[in-house]
Amino acid sequence: MILTVLIFCLVLGSIVGFLAGLLGIGGGLIIVPALVYLLPLVGVSSEIVMPVALGTSLGAIVITSASAAFAHHRQDNIPWSLARPLMILIAIGALLGAFIADSLSSEVLAGFFSVVVVLLAVYMLLSINASKVRSLPATYVLPSLSFFTGVIASLMGIAGGAILVPMLSFFGVSVRHSIGIATACGVMVALFGSLGYIITGFNLTNLPEWSFGYIYLPALLGIVMSSIIFAPIGVKYASQLPVKTLKKIFAVFLILVAIKMMLS
């Protein structure tokens, strides 16, 4: 069954990498629901399936987001004077989110994930053609919002870009810089969030073999190996395919996945 999970996650990673490169959307929105249905095959009980899915998702995102952040840094897409304070607070929020997740049931975590995914997908549908620009708010607003973004992202197993990019764009940061800041912050979310899931799950006895805390290593390996290969392919096709149409389709797909998780 471990080999089956590894093969499935290689396929999952290729899809996640391609869509992340094509649409600029974090893989956690796809990884978490897929792992929720996959992990029971290796004996993960329903009581801990969500924390394992969330921790594994964040572990996979560490490497992919670090690669993306380095690429954006080389292209001067990250205004570090704005990014650094956000990165510190989003890291604290992500670590806290992992400890909050450990205290919640899988049913509550699945419900939270589903509701936030629906909200993000609806916003994605409504904002594709939006172009209204505002100025940056008071200095304490963005750091405060980044802290709560870290908590929410860690509770969802995502890098937080789906929240940060529209938020920063709303406050007048250019799309290029918004994506750059989001990738840098995504590294902190994934790193500190996955660290929290390792700590909180470290001494549990009901985890499957090859687990490191709440992170299931065979799934992590499969996702990372293939997503790194397919992400550049997605970037290549981003200029050739109707991305706005694909984003609409993807948003509807996310809503359907969230509804399925709520019903089950």
Side-chain angles (χ1 to χ4, degrees):
M1 294 309 298
I2 292 177
L3 182 60
T4 302
V5 170
L6 179 62
I7 293 171
F8 184 91
C9 286
L10 283 169
V11 176
L12 174 62
S14 65
I15 297 170
V16 166
F18 180 77
L19 289 178
L22 179 68
L23 304 178
I25 295 167
L29 293 173
I30 306 169
I31 295 172
V32 173
L35 290 181
V36 165
Y37 292 104
L38 178 66
L39 290 172
L41 295 178
V42 291
V44 178
S45 66
S46 59
E47 290 80 12
I48 59 170
V49 68
M50 274 301 292
V52 175
L54 297 173
T56 304
S57 175
L58 287 173
I61 292 170
V62 169
I63 297 173
T64 54
S65 60
S67 175
F70 180 68
H72 280 289
H73 170 68
R74 292 184 63 182
Q75 296 177 20
D76 293 323
N77 288 343
I78 306 175
W80 289 107
S81 59
L82 179 58
R84 285 191 187 95
L86 302 186
M87 290 171 67
I88 295 170
L89 284 167
I90 206 168
I92 297 171
L95 187 61
L96 176 62
F99 282 89
I100 293 173
D102 185 53
S103 67
L104 301 176
S105 68
S106 282
E107 289 79 9
V108 172
L109 287 171
F112 178 81
F113 179 90
S114 301
V115 169
V116 178
V117 165
V118 169
L119 293 175
L120 291 174
V122 169
Y123 181 83
M124 193 186 304
L125 286 171
L126 296 176
S127 64
I128 286 174
N129 296 314
S131 59
K132 189 174 182 180
V133 176
R134 296 167 177 81
S135 58
L136 284 173
T139 53
Y140 65 87
V141 174
L142 279 181
S144 300
L145 290 174
S146 69
F147 171 78
F148 289 109
T149 297
V151 174
I152 293 170
S154 185
L155 284 169
M156 295 182 67
I158 64 176
I163 303 171
L164 276 178
V165 172
M167 180 184 77
L168 292 169
S169 299
F170 178 84
F171 286 122
V173 180
S174 69
V175 174
R176 181 169 64 91
H177 285 167
S178 294
I179 294 173
I181 293 170
T183 56
C185 289
V187 175
M188 305 305 287
V189 169
L191 185 61
F192 282 84
S194 56
L195 176 63
Y197 281 101
I198 291 170
I199 294 170
T200 55
F202 197 74
N203 292 318
L204 292 182
T205 58
N206 57 341
L207 289 168
E209 264 190 300
W210 302 103
S211 293
F212 187 42
Y214 279 124
I215 297 178
Y216 185 56
L217 297 177
L220 173 69
L221 180 64
I223 293 168
V224 168
M225 285 174 60
S226 54
S227 63
I228 289 176
I229 296 171
F230 279 85
I233 298 174
V235 173
K236 177 183 176 181
Y237 281 97
S239 60
Q240 303 174 25
L241 296 175
V243 173
K244 286 186 177 180
T245 301
L246 291 172
K247 279 191 175 183
K248 291 177 183 178
I249 295 171
F250 185 70
V252 173
F253 168 75
L254 287 178
I255 293 171
L256 293 176
V257 169
I259 291 173
K260 179 68 169 62
M261 285 187 70
M262 281 189 272
L263 294 176
S264 61

